[in-house]
Amino acid sequence: MKIRVNSMILILLSLVTALTFFQGPLSAEEPREVSLKEVYGSFFDVGSAVSPFLLHGENAGHISRHFNSLTAENCMKPAGIWRPDGNFNFQEADKIIHFAKANGMKVRGHTLVWHSQTPNEFFLDAAGKRLTKEALYLRMEDYFQKVMNHFGNDVWCWDVVNEVLADWGDGIYRTKSPWFEICGEDFIARAFKTAHKINPEAKLFLNDYGLINPQKRERAVKLLKKLLAEGVPVHGVGIQAHWNMNTFQAEELQKSIDAFSELGLDVQITELDLSVYPIRRPPMPGESQNSKSSENQKLEYSPEIAEKQAVKYEQIFDILRENTDKISSVTFWGISDRYSWLNYFPVRGRTDHPLLFDRQLQPKKAFYRVTAPPRYCPPVFSPN
Ligand code: GLA
């Protein structure tokens, strides 16, 4: 009797083992216990934009599991740090540095010079009059010094200038900016030189959106060539990558990576997300941002949309993997769809689904697609 029970147990055990081993290869859609940084971390840094309130509980676990680089979504911008009374507020940004250190992560600095999210008073004197060029350069120097010295090498690279390029027309520069209005184009070179003088070890980036659009790429190349010819210490280009799944074109991304790296510059993807909505269009005359035009209707995140987005993400990561010698960092703009800025912009409350993780932090189809073998497996060399 005892022998029969033992052999029954053996048969059962073998059955379980056989079932475990013969369930066949995992398909691209099946959950796998991999993290983004395990898959891509040896090719480039894998980052996320975060705010300090996310650095707790399950969000913190998610962040440290998937990412090895952080960008402050808002609190390292002038509006987060600079106060009109001359005080500087590093409290929030320091929480990010602290979390990054505790988890062995790098931090990208974002951003020093920007026309947006910089208090209006930054450009005014005590009497409320616009600063002269010389006075604004003094303020720039003081701001850079306090900020860059505060973070030291805990921040290894900086978006020194953000969004200084024109979106249309023949000119290179965004002209509707207090920086440009007061200083003309010179403030760009000045910003890089000032940052380099303060921390010669920091890698310095020009960061912008629309950089895979041929005309804007052309403007960027013109400006970068000019800066490099003048010996301005610019080390890399940040391609923001706020893209749209209906219009993203992989070949344009490749062209931009080539164009910037041919100038000898490092390339980073700094703010990746992929909206599922039709391309934004500005409101028509008399229409508000929140109008009910077809582009503004809330979409249901159907399996078809999830599949289309997964295909686009796959194309993006195919290109990134083919260019690992040119790209040092890839940062997503947010940790999950729940916290994306695209839930509020360009239409408040229009729920978007632009990232690799859903509102419950669960991996989406696109996540499995970009992390599925053999995509990230090292090539197998035959002995001959
Ligand atoms: C730009 C900025 C970022 C952020 C995003 C939207 O791309 O560079 O700092 O504000 O817009 O959230």
Side-chain angles (χ1 to χ4, degrees):
M1 183 64 179
K2 197 170 174 195
I3 296 176
R4 273 192 44 202
V5 171
N6 279 348
S7 42
M8 288 281 283
I9 292 174
L10 260 178
I11 291 169
L12 269 176
L13 272 176
S14 335
L15 260 173
V16 170
T17 317
L19 276 173
T20 315
F21 279 104
F22 294 108
Q23 59 187 350
L26 285 171
S27 84
E29 312 303 329
E30 274 177 274
R32 301 186 73 255
E33 281 304 310
V34 293
S35 76
L36 285 174
K37 72 177 181 195
E38 280 158 20
V39 175
Y40 286 105
S42 58
F43 300 130
F44 37 68
D45 299 341
V46 189
S48 175
V50 296
S51 294
F53 80 90
L54 292 170
L55 305 177
H56 304 282
E58 60 166 355
N59 289 328
H62 174 78
I63 293 166
S64 59
R65 178 164 144 64
H66 285 285
F67 305 104
N68 58 15
S69 168
L70 296 180
T71 303
E73 184 163 0
N74 287 303
C75 62
M76 275 192 203
K77 294 170 179 171
I81 291 180
W82 188 85
R83 296 284 171 270
D85 61 9
N87 285 319
F88 282 64
N89 174 18
F90 292 114
Q91 238 179 17
E92 293 302 289
D94 284 348
K95 292 180 188 166
I96 294 179
I97 301 285
H98 181 77
F99 184 88
K101 278 187 172 170
N103 290 283
M105 305 164 107
K106 291 173 155 179
V107 179
R108 297 193 76 258
H110 176 80
T111 176
L112 293 168
V113 162
W114 193 18
H115 64 279
S116 176
Q117 288 188 261
T118 302
N120 195 27
E121 294 90 336
F122 193 98
F123 304 99
L124 305 178
D125 66 15
K129 254 184 69 208
R130 259 214 166 167
L131 295 179
T132 61
K133 184 171 175 170
E134 290 65 35
L136 183 53
Y137 282 160
L138 284 177
R139 181 155 289 171
M140 172 199 273
E141 174 124 16
D142 176 63
Y143 180 75
F144 281 24
Q145 246 170 29
K146 296 212 171 91
V147 173
M148 294 183 79
N149 287 335
H150 176 85
F151 294 116
N153 285 342
D154 291 342
V155 169
W156 77 280
C157 67
W158 279 98
D159 292 331
V160 175
V161 295
N162 196 31
E163 303 180 348
V164 294
L165 293 160
D167 286 327
W168 51 75
D170 297 332
I172 296 182
Y173 304 102
R174 171 190 295 276
T175 51
K176 205 167 173 308
S177 149
W179 285 103
F180 191 91
E181 285 161 8
I182 297 173
C183 308
E185 65 185 69
D186 298 352
F187 76 91
I188 300 170
R190 179 79 171 220
F192 280 101
K193 288 180 186 162
T194 305
H196 187 62
K197 193 175 69 181
I198 295 165
N199 183 356
E201 286 175 46
K203 296 291 171 215
L204 306 180
F205 283 73
L206 172 142
N207 194 50
D208 214 319
Y209 60 84
L211 290 183
I212 67 170
N213 163 304
Q215 289 81 37
K216 200 151 175 186
R217 172 171 58 231
E218 196 47 43
R219 286 183 200 110
V221 167
K222 268 192 197 155
L223 169 58
L224 291 161
K225 275 189 174 159
K226 184 168 175 297
L227 293 172
L228 291 168
E230 289 165 9
V232 174
V234 46
H235 307 124
V237 181
I239 297 177
Q240 285 189 1
H242 293 297
W243 291 325
N244 183 290
M245 77 169 192
N246 301 294
T247 54
F248 170 77
Q249 288 179 292
E251 57 285 6
E252 295 301 332
L253 171 58
Q254 183 62 62
K255 284 185 197 162
S256 293
I257 294 170
D258 289 341
F260 301 139
S261 69
E262 272 161 23
L263 299 176
L265 296 169
D266 185 13
V267 178
Q268 299 193 346
I269 303 295
T270 53
E271 306 186 17
L272 176 57
D273 49 25
L274 197 59
S275 173
V276 301
Y277 283 93
I279 190 82
R280 303 168 199 158
R281 63 162 175 74
M284 307 296 271
E287 199 181 59
S288 87
Q289 279 282 3
N290 291 346
S291 83
K292 294 272 180 260
S293 69
S294 63
E295 292 87 346
N296 294 351
Q297 299 295 338
K298 207 171 193 160
L299 276 179
E300 197 192 324
Y301 192 62
S302 63
E304 292 72 34
I305 292 181
E307 171 61 22
K308 192 168 176 189
Q309 187 183 41
V311 168
K312 284 291 163 166
Y313 259 120
E314 190 175 7
Q315 291 175 6
I316 294 171
F317 274 81
D318 282 349
I319 298 277
L320 300 181
R321 262 191 321 277
E322 281 157 22
N323 291 277
T324 51
D325 53 331
K326 300 171 185 153
I327 295 173
S328 63
S329 179
V330 174
T331 295
F332 291 85
W333 205 247
I335 68 164
S336 80
D337 288 347
R338 181 167 175 195
Y339 300 106
S340 167
W341 70 298
L342 293 171
N343 294 319
Y344 310 98
F345 182 89
V347 180
R348 179 163 284 279
R350 185 184 71 172
T351 313
D352 208 337
H353 311 265
L355 296 162
L356 296 183
F357 300 97
D358 71 13
R359 288 173 160 67
Q360 281 72 45
L361 297 177
Q362 293 309 304
K364 292 161 53 179
K365 203 168 202 177
F367 172 87
Y368 293 122
R369 204 61 70 76
V370 302
T371 56
R375 305 211 151 272
Y376 66 91
C377 286
V380 179
F381 295 105
S382 61
N384 51 4

